[in-house]
Amino acid sequence: MSENNSKITIARLLSEYEDIFICPICSNPVEVVNLRSLICSNRHCFDLSKRGYINLLSHPLQTKYDKKLFESRKVISQSGFFSPLITRISENMLEELKPESKLIKLLDAGCGEGSHLADIQQRIIEQAQCDSLGVGVDISKEGINIASKGPSRTIWCVADLANCPFADKQFNFILNILSPSNYSEFHRMLADDGMVIKVIPGSNYLQELRAIFYKQTDKSEHSNENTVELFNRNFDLVAIQHVQYGVTMENKYIEHLVRMTPLSWGASEELIQQVLGNDKLEVTFDFTVLLGKKMNAHRTN
Ligand SMILES: [Zn+2]
């Protein structure tokens, strides 16, 4: 698909769903104009990029996550290393769907390069009898630029999670996978009977890399207690699930693994080279999945 076609497809999708957006500057409704821009009633204007994603940041922000990190994470995702996690998340969503659901609106808050959202959406489309609209949001333009090469039933946006450009109660699911949260915004945007699915690293996540990079320092210790408590203060925690599995990673993936994780940021070049020199590496993937609902909605049942 040419860039132009893809831009027009996305612009049509945006027009169809323009109601889900609000202006990130003044919170007024927006409309799609000339299949090219989102414009609010105060004339704040946000143009579609050539690739068809939309940048809704009111001012540019720098992040520590660069293009290489996202490219590496995409390689690791597309090679199936996250599959058991993606399967678990999709199962949770399918169980939650009501028979009368015709359209699921799904927001991935902090979607990075978009692989997780694309994979989850694919599984939902294959297994559920309803339509699905995916919306991926990340503060990194580099991440969204890569994501926008993906499937066309998804709207990709550069935006600030602290000031999300979406109207209230729009989403049936909000995913937040290995990414910072903004609970008041999640609460505002979630439908009353919707579900937040937050994934955090478990205590054994990439323990083999931790052991090498943080040998004899307390950074190798890892606790989720505070994160779970904070989540539970904002949402009714309906389940905690643990997803742990081991993989053998061949050399060609090791560099991508090291690049995609902030774990290596504080490590010396010598330690990084030591890891990269392995023909194979046994790696533990360990995640904690938190399922949350709005407190009132859940307790009235
Ligand atoms: Zn505005």
Side-chain angles (χ1 to χ4, degrees):
M1 192 183 277
S2 75
E3 275 191 353
N4 204 32
N5 275 340
S6 135
K7 190 174 166 181
I8 289 169
T9 307
I10 298 298
R12 293 212 169 105
L13 191 63
L14 273 178
S15 304
E16 193 180 341
Y17 293 107
E18 66 187 12
D19 288 355
I20 71 171
F21 288 91
I22 54 171
C23 174
I25 297 170
C26 68
S27 300
N28 278 1
V30 296
E31 61 176 341
V32 177
V33 175
N34 298 332
L35 292 181
R36 210 180 58 199
S37 310
L38 273 183
I39 300 181
C40 82
S41 46
N42 280 328
R43 312 300 297 164
H44 298 125
C45 178
F46 305 90
D47 291 334
L48 259 77
S49 74
K50 273 189 198 153
R51 282 202 189 285
Y53 68 82
I54 189 136
N55 187 340
L56 288 146
L57 281 180
S58 47
H59 51 94
L61 288 167
Q62 285 294 325
T63 72
K64 263 181 122 175
Y65 297 91
D66 64 5
K67 191 176 168 190
K68 279 187 175 169
L69 179 147
F70 289 118
E71 283 170 348
S72 288
R73 198 196 285 174
K74 186 165 186 173
V75 170
I76 296 294
S77 294
Q78 293 196 330
S79 309
F81 292 114
F82 287 103
S83 277
L85 173 67
I86 298 304
T87 300
R88 178 58 73 87
I89 294 171
S90 311
E91 285 168 359
N92 284 318
M93 293 174 64
L94 289 164
E95 277 172 25
E96 191 61 22
L97 288 184
K98 296 165 184 68
E100 65 273 19
S101 302
K102 293 206 168 55
L103 169 71
I104 320 169
K105 287 190 275 182
L106 166 61
L107 175 71
D108 187 355
C111 66
E113 40 61 61
S115 298
H116 297 327
L117 176 58
D119 290 350
I120 289 165
Q121 224 187 329
Q122 185 62 35
R123 291 185 198 209
I124 299 295
I125 289 167
E126 282 167 9
Q127 294 177 48
Q129 303 298 317
C130 62
D131 203 2
S132 144
L133 172 72
V135 180
V137 165
D138 202 279
I139 201 164
S140 166
K141 204 168 148 180
E142 302 285 7
I144 292 296
N145 192 37
I146 297 173
S148 62
K149 297 170 189 166
S152 59
R153 280 297 284 173
T154 309
I155 296 171
W156 301 103
C157 311
V158 183
D160 185 355
L161 279 194
N163 181 28
C164 285
F166 305 107
D168 296 356
K169 302 184 183 183
Q170 286 302 310
F171 296 101
N172 307 101
F173 295 95
I174 297 181
L175 303 175
N176 180 231
I177 304 174
L178 305 174
S179 173
S181 305
N182 186 299
Y183 291 130
S184 63
E185 282 292 77
F186 291 2
H187 205 274
R188 181 181 68 75
M189 297 184 292
L190 189 67
D192 283 337
D193 60 351
M195 175 177 267
V196 173
I197 303 179
K198 180 172 176 68
V199 178
I200 52 183
S203 52
N204 300 320
Y205 184 53
L206 305 182
Q207 60 183 351
E208 298 79 5
L209 287 187
R210 268 173 224 281
I212 299 168
F213 290 152
Y214 297 128
K215 213 171 353 186
Q216 296 169 341
T217 76
D218 60 358
K219 277 192 179 175
S220 59
E221 298 287 325
H222 181 92
S223 165
N224 278 331
E225 234 172 84
N226 293 345
T227 312
V228 175
E229 198 192 306
L230 186 62
F231 185 90
N232 201 21
R233 250 186 272 149
N234 287 277
F235 292 96
D236 198 350
L237 180 58
V238 293
I240 300 187
Q241 301 167 340
H242 299 284
V243 182
Q244 182 173 330
Y245 51 95
V247 300
T248 304
M249 222 171 242
E250 290 168 41
N251 181 273
K252 65 176 175 179
Y253 295 117
I254 297 173
E255 187 175 358
H256 292 297
L257 178 73
V258 168
R259 266 195 197 159
M260 76 161 203
T261 166
L263 277 180
S264 62
W265 289 352
S268 70
E269 192 52 34
E270 192 190 339
L271 287 177
I272 290 176
Q273 289 307 324
Q274 183 191 326
V275 173
L276 298 186
N278 287 290
D279 283 341
K280 285 184 175 163
L281 194 65
E282 299 298 323
V283 183
T284 305
F285 280 66
D286 178 19
F287 305 101
T288 300
V289 182
L290 308 177
L291 304 182
K293 294 202 150 196
K294 284 190 175 176
M295 297 202 180
N296 296 336
H298 187 63
R299 282 178 185 156
T300 52
N301 289 338

